[in-house]
Amino acid sequence: MAFPAALHDHSACIHAALDAAEAECRRRGARLTDIRRIVLELVWESHRPVGAYALLESLGRLGRSAAPPTVYRALDFLLAHGLIHRVASRNGFIGCPHPGHAHGGQILLCAQCGMAAELDDPALDREIALSAARLGFSVSHQTIEVEGLCPTCRAQAGDTA
Amino acid sequence: MAFPAALHDHSACIHAALDAAEAECRRRGARLTDIRRIVLELVWESHRPVGAYALLESLGRLGRSAAPPTVYRALDFLLAHGLIHRVASRNGFIGCPHPGHAHGGQILLCAQCGMAAELDDPALDREIALSAARLGFSVSHQTIEVEGLCPTCRAQAGDTA
DNA sequence: TCTGTTTTGTTATGTTATAACATACCTTCC
DNA sequence: GGAAGGTATGTTATAACATAACAAAACAGA
Ligand SMILES: [Zn+2]
Ligand SMILES: [Zn+2]
Ligand SMILES: [Zn+2]
Ligand SMILES: [Zn+2]
């Protein structure tokens, strides 16, 4: 899962995500309604976490103005079916590039440009489960949010390490 | 860092935390004022994450009623000096049992009883840094919040695994 | 004591999230 | 087609979390 480059064909990202979502919903017998699809599309407008109220405004700009519960319900649906991840440290949401494929949320966040990417390292999951087990704790769900500098921003800052 | 047992001498936890905080502030030349000490004590009232507004109410009950900024300022101070950790997924705060000793936030949260404990596994930090580096990402700060069942609650649920 | 700095108080407001209930919309079975 | 039951959305209000901006007080060093 590479970090998104500053410039890339982002419409491809959106299309891929929407297609994957359709497929996943079909597979699960879940209904990807208009509102849900639109919200997912809006979440995918960038690779940065988006807040619920920003989505609300975007909806308004599309002539689909709504109240908070509408957005939160759509987000809940998308979360429940693994189509987006919640970014707790930012009160925001990002699209998941590979729904269906089981994985906990391991998210990299660039402090400079705000871009997010998934780490998705199974060794990490294992290490956490193992480490927790040593304390007698059994893991059901984990949130990993890592802040730092993305490759692009490091290069800009002259970080050659 | 063991998971706190359901029944334990919690006044000892509080005393130890307060003493450690005094020491750490002395060492740093930071002023642990009345309000800050009281808020820290209130954070330590349990091993569960506490919200800012719950602290506000507790303060009121102590006859020390205050407005939100007072509590948030105290929390900011305690965070800045590593005396508490923020639990992003719960909008809450827990006391740090070993301030001074550098460590990222690795927090275990029991879904049943709500108790929290720190994992504090350096191997985990290393694995994250390494894994991120493979994507060209340099880590500055990480939030790990793991939900699951604590030993006590597992036993209660009959989980023998 | 004076002076500058840090801390706390106070008021107002911004931001994020949910409760509760009404309405509309599909789906299935008759 | 029409009723019944479930699912989804609309709507209003409010709860929960967090900060901006400025005033007053406490503190520390000269
Ligand atoms: Zn893209
Ligand atoms: Zn970046
Ligand atoms: Zn304790
Ligand atoms: Zn428990």
PDB file of all heavy atoms in Angstrom, chain A residues 31 33 35-36 64 67-70 73, chain D residues 6-14 18:
ATOM      1  N   ARG A  31     -27.203  -2.831   0.979  1.00  0.00           N
ATOM      2  CA  ARG A  31     -27.686  -1.885  -0.032  1.00  0.00           C
ATOM      3  C   ARG A  31     -26.886  -0.591  -0.057  1.00  0.00           C
ATOM      4  O   ARG A  31     -26.990   0.223   0.848  1.00  0.00           O
ATOM      5  CB  ARG A  31     -29.167  -1.581   0.221  1.00  0.00           C
ATOM      6  CG  ARG A  31     -30.076  -2.748  -0.140  1.00  0.00           C
ATOM      7  CD  ARG A  31     -31.470  -2.547   0.397  1.00  0.00           C
ATOM      8  NE  ARG A  31     -32.056  -1.284  -0.020  1.00  0.00           N
ATOM      9  CZ  ARG A  31     -33.133  -0.754   0.540  1.00  0.00           C
ATOM     10  NH1 ARG A  31     -33.726  -1.387   1.540  1.00  0.00           N
ATOM     11  NH2 ARG A  31     -33.621   0.381   0.108  1.00  0.00           N
ATOM     12  N   THR A  33     -27.057   2.541  -1.071  1.00  0.00           N
ATOM     13  CA  THR A  33     -28.048   3.500  -1.587  1.00  0.00           C
ATOM     14  C   THR A  33     -27.364   4.762  -2.114  1.00  0.00           C
ATOM     15  O   THR A  33     -26.156   4.928  -1.987  1.00  0.00           O
ATOM     16  CB  THR A  33     -29.020   3.893  -0.476  1.00  0.00           C
ATOM     17  OG1 THR A  33     -28.268   4.499   0.572  1.00  0.00           O
ATOM     18  CG2 THR A  33     -29.753   2.693   0.057  1.00  0.00           C
ATOM     19  N   ILE A  35     -27.471   7.959  -1.135  1.00  0.00           N
ATOM     20  CA  ILE A  35     -26.792   8.773  -0.117  1.00  0.00           C
ATOM     21  C   ILE A  35     -25.478   8.132   0.297  1.00  0.00           C
ATOM     22  O   ILE A  35     -24.450   8.793   0.420  1.00  0.00           O
ATOM     23  CB  ILE A  35     -27.719   8.926   1.118  1.00  0.00           C
ATOM     24  CG1 ILE A  35     -28.605  10.141   0.961  1.00  0.00           C
ATOM     25  CG2 ILE A  35     -26.929   9.062   2.385  1.00  0.00           C
ATOM     26  CD1 ILE A  35     -27.871  11.447   1.195  1.00  0.00           C
ATOM     27  N   ARG A  36     -25.508   6.837   0.497  1.00  0.00           N
ATOM     28  CA  ARG A  36     -24.306   6.131   0.962  1.00  0.00           C
ATOM     29  C   ARG A  36     -23.218   6.191  -0.085  1.00  0.00           C
ATOM     30  O   ARG A  36     -22.044   6.403   0.232  1.00  0.00           O
ATOM     31  CB  ARG A  36     -24.668   4.672   1.283  1.00  0.00           C
ATOM     32  CG  ARG A  36     -25.571   4.554   2.492  1.00  0.00           C
ATOM     33  CD  ARG A  36     -26.187   3.174   2.620  1.00  0.00           C
ATOM     34  NE  ARG A  36     -26.970   3.061   3.846  1.00  0.00           N
ATOM     35  CZ  ARG A  36     -27.737   2.032   4.140  1.00  0.00           C
ATOM     36  NH1 ARG A  36     -27.846   1.004   3.297  1.00  0.00           N
ATOM     37  NH2 ARG A  36     -28.410   1.997   5.258  1.00  0.00           N
ATOM     38  N   ARG A  64     -27.793  18.469  -2.333  1.00  0.00           N
ATOM     39  CA  ARG A  64     -28.378  17.363  -1.575  1.00  0.00           C
ATOM     40  C   ARG A  64     -28.281  17.686  -0.108  1.00  0.00           C
ATOM     41  O   ARG A  64     -27.740  16.894   0.661  1.00  0.00           O
ATOM     42  CB  ARG A  64     -27.541  16.120  -1.767  1.00  0.00           C
ATOM     43  CG  ARG A  64     -27.812  15.160  -2.877  1.00  0.00           C
ATOM     44  CD  ARG A  64     -28.990  14.354  -3.012  1.00  0.00           C
ATOM     45  NE  ARG A  64     -29.427  13.338  -2.133  1.00  0.00           N
ATOM     46  CZ  ARG A  64     -29.827  12.154  -2.541  1.00  0.00           C
ATOM     47  NH1 ARG A  64     -29.755  11.822  -3.802  1.00  0.00           N
ATOM     48  NH2 ARG A  64     -30.326  11.303  -1.691  1.00  0.00           N
ATOM     49  N   ALA A  67     -29.238  16.863   7.092  1.00  0.00           N
ATOM     50  CA  ALA A  67     -28.921  17.139   8.491  1.00  0.00           C
ATOM     51  C   ALA A  67     -27.864  16.133   8.966  1.00  0.00           C
ATOM     52  O   ALA A  67     -27.657  15.104   8.332  1.00  0.00           O
ATOM     53  CB  ALA A  67     -30.177  17.030   9.327  1.00  0.00           C
ATOM     54  N   PRO A  68     -27.190  16.450  10.074  1.00  0.00           N
ATOM     55  CA  PRO A  68     -26.117  15.571  10.553  1.00  0.00           C
ATOM     56  C   PRO A  68     -26.475  14.087  10.603  1.00  0.00           C
ATOM     57  O   PRO A  68     -25.681  13.261  10.129  1.00  0.00           O
ATOM     58  CB  PRO A  68     -25.804  16.121  11.943  1.00  0.00           C
ATOM     59  CG  PRO A  68     -26.130  17.572  11.851  1.00  0.00           C
ATOM     60  CD  PRO A  68     -27.298  17.667  10.917  1.00  0.00           C
ATOM     61  N   PRO A  69     -27.631  13.702  11.146  1.00  0.00           N
ATOM     62  CA  PRO A  69     -27.882  12.259  11.254  1.00  0.00           C
ATOM     63  C   PRO A  69     -27.785  11.526   9.922  1.00  0.00           C
ATOM     64  O   PRO A  69     -27.349  10.373   9.884  1.00  0.00           O
ATOM     65  CB  PRO A  69     -29.307  12.205  11.806  1.00  0.00           C
ATOM     66  CG  PRO A  69     -29.460  13.460  12.575  1.00  0.00           C
ATOM     67  CD  PRO A  69     -28.709  14.493  11.776  1.00  0.00           C
ATOM     68  N   THR A  70     -28.174  12.175   8.851  1.00  0.00           N
ATOM     69  CA  THR A  70     -28.090  11.530   7.540  1.00  0.00           C
ATOM     70  C   THR A  70     -26.651  11.137   7.223  1.00  0.00           C
ATOM     71  O   THR A  70     -26.373  10.011   6.807  1.00  0.00           O
ATOM     72  CB  THR A  70     -28.624  12.492   6.452  1.00  0.00           C
ATOM     73  OG1 THR A  70     -29.992  12.776   6.729  1.00  0.00           O
ATOM     74  CG2 THR A  70     -28.507  11.871   5.077  1.00  0.00           C
ATOM     75  N   ARG A  73     -25.357   8.448   9.634  1.00  0.00           N
ATOM     76  CA  ARG A  73     -25.895   7.123   9.324  1.00  0.00           C
ATOM     77  C   ARG A  73     -25.189   6.511   8.132  1.00  0.00           C
ATOM     78  O   ARG A  73     -24.851   5.319   8.136  1.00  0.00           O
ATOM     79  CB  ARG A  73     -27.395   7.219   9.088  1.00  0.00           C
ATOM     80  CG  ARG A  73     -28.162   7.300  10.398  1.00  0.00           C
ATOM     81  CD  ARG A  73     -29.646   7.088  10.220  1.00  0.00           C
ATOM     82  NE  ARG A  73     -30.271   8.242   9.594  1.00  0.00           N
ATOM     83  CZ  ARG A  73     -31.287   8.926  10.116  1.00  0.00           C
ATOM     84  NH1 ARG A  73     -31.778   8.583  11.296  1.00  0.00           N
ATOM     85  NH2 ARG A  73     -31.826   9.933   9.489  1.00  0.00           N
TER      86      ARG A  73
ATOM     87  P    DG D   6     -41.196  -6.753  11.145  1.00  0.00           P
ATOM     88  OP1  DG D   6     -40.747  -7.936  11.912  1.00  0.00           O
ATOM     89  OP2  DG D   6     -41.776  -5.586  11.853  1.00  0.00           O
ATOM     90  O5'  DG D   6     -39.965  -6.237  10.279  1.00  0.00           O
ATOM     91  C5'  DG D   6     -39.411  -7.108   9.287  1.00  0.00           C
ATOM     92  C4'  DG D   6     -38.613  -6.288   8.303  1.00  0.00           C
ATOM     93  O4'  DG D   6     -39.492  -5.338   7.661  1.00  0.00           O
ATOM     94  C3'  DG D   6     -37.483  -5.472   8.955  1.00  0.00           C
ATOM     95  O3'  DG D   6     -36.267  -5.725   8.245  1.00  0.00           O
ATOM     96  C2'  DG D   6     -37.927  -4.030   8.823  1.00  0.00           C
ATOM     97  C1'  DG D   6     -38.851  -4.065   7.614  1.00  0.00           C
ATOM     98  N9   DG D   6     -39.882  -3.033   7.640  1.00  0.00           N
ATOM     99  C8   DG D   6     -40.839  -2.813   8.591  1.00  0.00           C
ATOM    100  N7   DG D   6     -41.621  -1.799   8.326  1.00  0.00           N
ATOM    101  C5   DG D   6     -41.150  -1.321   7.115  1.00  0.00           C
ATOM    102  C6   DG D   6     -41.587  -0.234   6.306  1.00  0.00           C
ATOM    103  O6   DG D   6     -42.525   0.544   6.524  1.00  0.00           O
ATOM    104  N1   DG D   6     -40.818  -0.103   5.157  1.00  0.00           N
ATOM    105  C2   DG D   6     -39.760  -0.921   4.813  1.00  0.00           C
ATOM    106  N2   DG D   6     -39.136  -0.642   3.679  1.00  0.00           N
ATOM    107  N3   DG D   6     -39.343  -1.927   5.548  1.00  0.00           N
ATOM    108  C4   DG D   6     -40.077  -2.073   6.671  1.00  0.00           C
ATOM    109  P    DT D   7     -34.900  -5.214   8.867  1.00  0.00           P
ATOM    110  OP1  DT D   7     -33.948  -6.309   8.656  1.00  0.00           O
ATOM    111  OP2  DT D   7     -35.146  -4.620  10.207  1.00  0.00           O
ATOM    112  O5'  DT D   7     -34.509  -4.021   7.901  1.00  0.00           O
ATOM    113  C5'  DT D   7     -34.561  -4.238   6.489  1.00  0.00           C
ATOM    114  C4'  DT D   7     -34.423  -2.895   5.800  1.00  0.00           C
ATOM    115  O4'  DT D   7     -35.633  -2.128   5.963  1.00  0.00           O
ATOM    116  C3'  DT D   7     -33.286  -2.030   6.370  1.00  0.00           C
ATOM    117  O3'  DT D   7     -32.507  -1.631   5.258  1.00  0.00           O
ATOM    118  C2'  DT D   7     -34.016  -0.858   7.025  1.00  0.00           C
ATOM    119  C1'  DT D   7     -35.285  -0.790   6.195  1.00  0.00           C
ATOM    120  N1   DT D   7     -36.461  -0.144   6.837  1.00  0.00           N
ATOM    121  C2   DT D   7     -37.101   0.872   6.163  1.00  0.00           C
ATOM    122  O2   DT D   7     -36.759   1.262   5.061  1.00  0.00           O
ATOM    123  N3   DT D   7     -38.184   1.409   6.822  1.00  0.00           N
ATOM    124  C4   DT D   7     -38.669   1.042   8.057  1.00  0.00           C
ATOM    125  O4   DT D   7     -39.658   1.589   8.542  1.00  0.00           O
ATOM    126  C5   DT D   7     -37.952  -0.032   8.711  1.00  0.00           C
ATOM    127  C7   DT D   7     -38.398  -0.510  10.062  1.00  0.00           C
ATOM    128  C6   DT D   7     -36.892  -0.562   8.077  1.00  0.00           C
ATOM    129  P    DA D   8     -31.187  -0.773   5.430  1.00  0.00           P
ATOM    130  OP1  DA D   8     -30.251  -1.199   4.388  1.00  0.00           O
ATOM    131  OP2  DA D   8     -30.795  -0.777   6.856  1.00  0.00           O
ATOM    132  O5'  DA D   8     -31.706   0.689   5.065  1.00  0.00           O
ATOM    133  C5'  DA D   8     -32.287   0.903   3.775  1.00  0.00           C
ATOM    134  C4'  DA D   8     -32.747   2.326   3.681  1.00  0.00           C
ATOM    135  O4'  DA D   8     -33.897   2.514   4.528  1.00  0.00           O
ATOM    136  C3'  DA D   8     -31.725   3.374   4.111  1.00  0.00           C
ATOM    137  O3'  DA D   8     -31.543   4.248   3.010  1.00  0.00           O
ATOM    138  C2'  DA D   8     -32.343   4.047   5.327  1.00  0.00           C
ATOM    139  C1'  DA D   8     -33.823   3.782   5.128  1.00  0.00           C
ATOM    140  N9   DA D   8     -34.627   3.705   6.343  1.00  0.00           N
ATOM    141  C8   DA D   8     -34.468   2.851   7.394  1.00  0.00           C
ATOM    142  N7   DA D   8     -35.369   2.997   8.340  1.00  0.00           N
ATOM    143  C5   DA D   8     -36.179   4.012   7.873  1.00  0.00           C
ATOM    144  C6   DA D   8     -37.323   4.634   8.417  1.00  0.00           C
ATOM    145  N6   DA D   8     -37.858   4.305   9.593  1.00  0.00           N
ATOM    146  N1   DA D   8     -37.889   5.620   7.681  1.00  0.00           N
ATOM    147  C2   DA D   8     -37.361   5.948   6.505  1.00  0.00           C
ATOM    148  N3   DA D   8     -36.290   5.431   5.889  1.00  0.00           N
ATOM    149  C4   DA D   8     -35.742   4.460   6.637  1.00  0.00           C
ATOM    150  P    DT D   9     -30.588   5.473   3.150  1.00  0.00           P
ATOM    151  OP1  DT D   9     -30.067   5.762   1.809  1.00  0.00           O
ATOM    152  OP2  DT D   9     -29.698   5.257   4.298  1.00  0.00           O
ATOM    153  O5'  DT D   9     -31.619   6.647   3.522  1.00  0.00           O
ATOM    154  C5'  DT D   9     -32.562   7.077   2.564  1.00  0.00           C
ATOM    155  C4'  DT D   9     -33.420   8.157   3.172  1.00  0.00           C
ATOM    156  O4'  DT D   9     -34.036   7.656   4.378  1.00  0.00           O
ATOM    157  C3'  DT D   9     -32.664   9.424   3.569  1.00  0.00           C
ATOM    158  O3'  DT D   9     -33.208  10.486   2.805  1.00  0.00           O
ATOM    159  C2'  DT D   9     -32.905   9.554   5.078  1.00  0.00           C
ATOM    160  C1'  DT D   9     -34.174   8.732   5.271  1.00  0.00           C
ATOM    161  N1   DT D   9     -34.383   8.142   6.614  1.00  0.00           N
ATOM    162  C2   DT D   9     -35.506   8.485   7.324  1.00  0.00           C
ATOM    163  O2   DT D   9     -36.341   9.263   6.905  1.00  0.00           O
ATOM    164  N3   DT D   9     -35.616   7.890   8.551  1.00  0.00           N
ATOM    165  C4   DT D   9     -34.748   6.979   9.131  1.00  0.00           C
ATOM    166  O4   DT D   9     -34.959   6.503  10.229  1.00  0.00           O
ATOM    167  C5   DT D   9     -33.590   6.650   8.322  1.00  0.00           C
ATOM    168  C7   DT D   9     -32.578   5.680   8.846  1.00  0.00           C
ATOM    169  C6   DT D   9     -33.456   7.243   7.124  1.00  0.00           C
ATOM    170  P    DG D  10     -32.732  11.977   3.080  1.00  0.00           P
ATOM    171  OP1  DG D  10     -32.836  12.690   1.781  1.00  0.00           O
ATOM    172  OP2  DG D  10     -31.461  11.987   3.831  1.00  0.00           O
ATOM    173  O5'  DG D  10     -33.881  12.529   4.046  1.00  0.00           O
ATOM    174  C5'  DG D  10     -35.225  12.498   3.588  1.00  0.00           C
ATOM    175  C4'  DG D  10     -36.108  13.290   4.539  1.00  0.00           C
ATOM    176  O4'  DG D  10     -36.290  12.536   5.773  1.00  0.00           O
ATOM    177  C3'  DG D  10     -35.567  14.651   4.961  1.00  0.00           C
ATOM    178  O3'  DG D  10     -36.664  15.562   4.970  1.00  0.00           O
ATOM    179  C2'  DG D  10     -34.998  14.404   6.359  1.00  0.00           C
ATOM    180  C1'  DG D  10     -35.932  13.329   6.896  1.00  0.00           C
ATOM    181  N9   DG D  10     -35.336  12.409   7.864  1.00  0.00           N
ATOM    182  C8   DG D  10     -34.209  11.652   7.683  1.00  0.00           C
ATOM    183  N7   DG D  10     -33.925  10.896   8.717  1.00  0.00           N
ATOM    184  C5   DG D  10     -34.937  11.169   9.626  1.00  0.00           C
ATOM    185  C6   DG D  10     -35.166  10.649  10.932  1.00  0.00           C
ATOM    186  O6   DG D  10     -34.495   9.810  11.551  1.00  0.00           O
ATOM    187  N1   DG D  10     -36.301  11.203  11.520  1.00  0.00           N
ATOM    188  C2   DG D  10     -37.108  12.131  10.920  1.00  0.00           C
ATOM    189  N2   DG D  10     -38.156  12.546  11.644  1.00  0.00           N
ATOM    190  N3   DG D  10     -36.917  12.620   9.705  1.00  0.00           N
ATOM    191  C4   DG D  10     -35.817  12.099   9.117  1.00  0.00           C
ATOM    192  P    DT D  11     -36.475  17.098   5.225  1.00  0.00           P
ATOM    193  OP1  DT D  11     -37.623  17.806   4.642  1.00  0.00           O
ATOM    194  OP2  DT D  11     -35.098  17.445   4.832  1.00  0.00           O
ATOM    195  O5'  DT D  11     -36.591  17.196   6.810  1.00  0.00           O
ATOM    196  C5'  DT D  11     -37.717  16.601   7.452  1.00  0.00           C
ATOM    197  C4'  DT D  11     -37.769  17.028   8.913  1.00  0.00           C
ATOM    198  O4'  DT D  11     -37.202  15.975   9.738  1.00  0.00           O
ATOM    199  C3'  DT D  11     -37.010  18.309   9.248  1.00  0.00           C
ATOM    200  O3'  DT D  11     -37.873  19.124   9.991  1.00  0.00           O
ATOM    201  C2'  DT D  11     -35.796  17.829  10.042  1.00  0.00           C
ATOM    202  C1'  DT D  11     -36.332  16.551  10.693  1.00  0.00           C
ATOM    203  N1   DT D  11     -35.326  15.502  11.011  1.00  0.00           N
ATOM    204  C2   DT D  11     -35.440  14.809  12.189  1.00  0.00           C
ATOM    205  O2   DT D  11     -36.324  15.012  12.997  1.00  0.00           O
ATOM    206  N3   DT D  11     -34.478  13.850  12.383  1.00  0.00           N
ATOM    207  C4   DT D  11     -33.423  13.545  11.548  1.00  0.00           C
ATOM    208  O4   DT D  11     -32.617  12.662  11.831  1.00  0.00           O
ATOM    209  C5   DT D  11     -33.359  14.305  10.328  1.00  0.00           C
ATOM    210  C7   DT D  11     -32.264  14.035   9.336  1.00  0.00           C
ATOM    211  C6   DT D  11     -34.300  15.240  10.117  1.00  0.00           C
ATOM    212  P    DT D  12     -37.520  20.629  10.328  1.00  0.00           P
ATOM    213  OP1  DT D  12     -38.686  21.472  10.036  1.00  0.00           O
ATOM    214  OP2  DT D  12     -36.195  20.952   9.753  1.00  0.00           O
ATOM    215  O5'  DT D  12     -37.365  20.560  11.913  1.00  0.00           O
ATOM    216  C5'  DT D  12     -38.329  19.846  12.673  1.00  0.00           C
ATOM    217  C4'  DT D  12     -37.827  19.651  14.081  1.00  0.00           C
ATOM    218  O4'  DT D  12     -36.953  18.512  14.133  1.00  0.00           O
ATOM    219  C3'  DT D  12     -37.036  20.824  14.660  1.00  0.00           C
ATOM    220  O3'  DT D  12     -37.684  21.248  15.842  1.00  0.00           O
ATOM    221  C2'  DT D  12     -35.637  20.275  14.914  1.00  0.00           C
ATOM    222  C1'  DT D  12     -35.910  18.781  15.052  1.00  0.00           C
ATOM    223  N1   DT D  12     -34.762  17.917  14.692  1.00  0.00           N
ATOM    224  C2   DT D  12     -34.459  16.852  15.513  1.00  0.00           C
ATOM    225  O2   DT D  12     -35.077  16.582  16.520  1.00  0.00           O
ATOM    226  N3   DT D  12     -33.390  16.107  15.090  1.00  0.00           N
ATOM    227  C4   DT D  12     -32.610  16.324  13.979  1.00  0.00           C
ATOM    228  O4   DT D  12     -31.676  15.582  13.715  1.00  0.00           O
ATOM    229  C5   DT D  12     -32.994  17.449  13.162  1.00  0.00           C
ATOM    230  C7   DT D  12     -32.207  17.772  11.937  1.00  0.00           C
ATOM    231  C6   DT D  12     -34.042  18.188  13.556  1.00  0.00           C
ATOM    232  P    DA D  13     -37.149  22.462  16.712  1.00  0.00           P
ATOM    233  OP1  DA D  13     -38.320  23.104  17.327  1.00  0.00           O
ATOM    234  OP2  DA D  13     -36.173  23.241  15.923  1.00  0.00           O
ATOM    235  O5'  DA D  13     -36.335  21.701  17.863  1.00  0.00           O
ATOM    236  C5'  DA D  13     -36.927  20.567  18.500  1.00  0.00           C
ATOM    237  C4'  DA D  13     -35.864  19.868  19.316  1.00  0.00           C
ATOM    238  O4'  DA D  13     -34.932  19.196  18.434  1.00  0.00           O
ATOM    239  C3'  DA D  13     -35.018  20.818  20.172  1.00  0.00           C
ATOM    240  O3'  DA D  13     -35.234  20.494  21.539  1.00  0.00           O
ATOM    241  C2'  DA D  13     -33.582  20.599  19.704  1.00  0.00           C
ATOM    242  C1'  DA D  13     -33.646  19.244  19.020  1.00  0.00           C
ATOM    243  N9   DA D  13     -32.655  19.050  17.957  1.00  0.00           N
ATOM    244  C8   DA D  13     -32.418  19.857  16.875  1.00  0.00           C
ATOM    245  N7   DA D  13     -31.456  19.428  16.083  1.00  0.00           N
ATOM    246  C5   DA D  13     -31.032  18.255  16.695  1.00  0.00           C
ATOM    247  C6   DA D  13     -30.034  17.319  16.357  1.00  0.00           C
ATOM    248  N6   DA D  13     -29.246  17.422  15.278  1.00  0.00           N
ATOM    249  N1   DA D  13     -29.866  16.260  17.192  1.00  0.00           N
ATOM    250  C2   DA D  13     -30.647  16.169  18.273  1.00  0.00           C
ATOM    251  N3   DA D  13     -31.626  16.970  18.700  1.00  0.00           N
ATOM    252  C4   DA D  13     -31.760  18.008  17.851  1.00  0.00           C
ATOM    253  P    DT D  14     -34.484  21.349  22.695  1.00  0.00           P
ATOM    254  OP1  DT D  14     -35.338  21.221  23.861  1.00  0.00           O
ATOM    255  OP2  DT D  14     -34.038  22.654  22.172  1.00  0.00           O
ATOM    256  O5'  DT D  14     -33.181  20.462  22.965  1.00  0.00           O
ATOM    257  C5'  DT D  14     -33.348  19.042  22.977  1.00  0.00           C
ATOM    258  C4'  DT D  14     -32.000  18.363  23.106  1.00  0.00           C
ATOM    259  O4'  DT D  14     -31.312  18.290  21.839  1.00  0.00           O
ATOM    260  C3'  DT D  14     -31.038  19.069  24.063  1.00  0.00           C
ATOM    261  O3'  DT D  14     -30.516  18.057  24.880  1.00  0.00           O
ATOM    262  C2'  DT D  14     -29.982  19.648  23.138  1.00  0.00           C
ATOM    263  C1'  DT D  14     -29.950  18.576  22.057  1.00  0.00           C
ATOM    264  N1   DT D  14     -29.325  18.943  20.746  1.00  0.00           N
ATOM    265  C2   DT D  14     -28.459  18.047  20.178  1.00  0.00           C
ATOM    266  O2   DT D  14     -28.183  16.973  20.683  1.00  0.00           O
ATOM    267  N3   DT D  14     -27.914  18.445  18.980  1.00  0.00           N
ATOM    268  C4   DT D  14     -28.163  19.629  18.318  1.00  0.00           C
ATOM    269  O4   DT D  14     -27.615  19.871  17.251  1.00  0.00           O
ATOM    270  C5   DT D  14     -29.091  20.522  18.972  1.00  0.00           C
ATOM    271  C7   DT D  14     -29.419  21.826  18.334  1.00  0.00           C
ATOM    272  C6   DT D  14     -29.620  20.144  20.141  1.00  0.00           C
ATOM    273  P    DA D  18     -12.504  16.328  23.576  1.00  0.00           P
ATOM    274  OP1  DA D  18     -11.540  15.601  22.736  1.00  0.00           O
ATOM    275  OP2  DA D  18     -12.459  16.249  25.041  1.00  0.00           O
ATOM    276  O5'  DA D  18     -12.480  17.875  23.178  1.00  0.00           O
ATOM    277  C5'  DA D  18     -12.580  18.219  21.807  1.00  0.00           C
ATOM    278  C4'  DA D  18     -12.467  19.725  21.665  1.00  0.00           C
ATOM    279  O4'  DA D  18     -13.639  20.367  22.212  1.00  0.00           O
ATOM    280  C3'  DA D  18     -11.272  20.369  22.376  1.00  0.00           C
ATOM    281  O3'  DA D  18     -10.371  20.794  21.365  1.00  0.00           O
ATOM    282  C2'  DA D  18     -11.886  21.502  23.213  1.00  0.00           C
ATOM    283  C1'  DA D  18     -13.270  21.678  22.592  1.00  0.00           C
ATOM    284  N9   DA D  18     -14.315  22.174  23.486  1.00  0.00           N
ATOM    285  C8   DA D  18     -14.802  21.588  24.624  1.00  0.00           C
ATOM    286  N7   DA D  18     -15.754  22.265  25.206  1.00  0.00           N
ATOM    287  C5   DA D  18     -15.916  23.386  24.395  1.00  0.00           C
ATOM    288  C6   DA D  18     -16.772  24.489  24.452  1.00  0.00           C
ATOM    289  N6   DA D  18     -17.676  24.661  25.420  1.00  0.00           N
ATOM    290  N1   DA D  18     -16.666  25.414  23.467  1.00  0.00           N
ATOM    291  C2   DA D  18     -15.753  25.226  22.494  1.00  0.00           C
ATOM    292  N3   DA D  18     -14.898  24.231  22.323  1.00  0.00           N
ATOM    293  C4   DA D  18     -15.023  23.334  23.315  1.00  0.00           C
TER     294       DA D  18
END
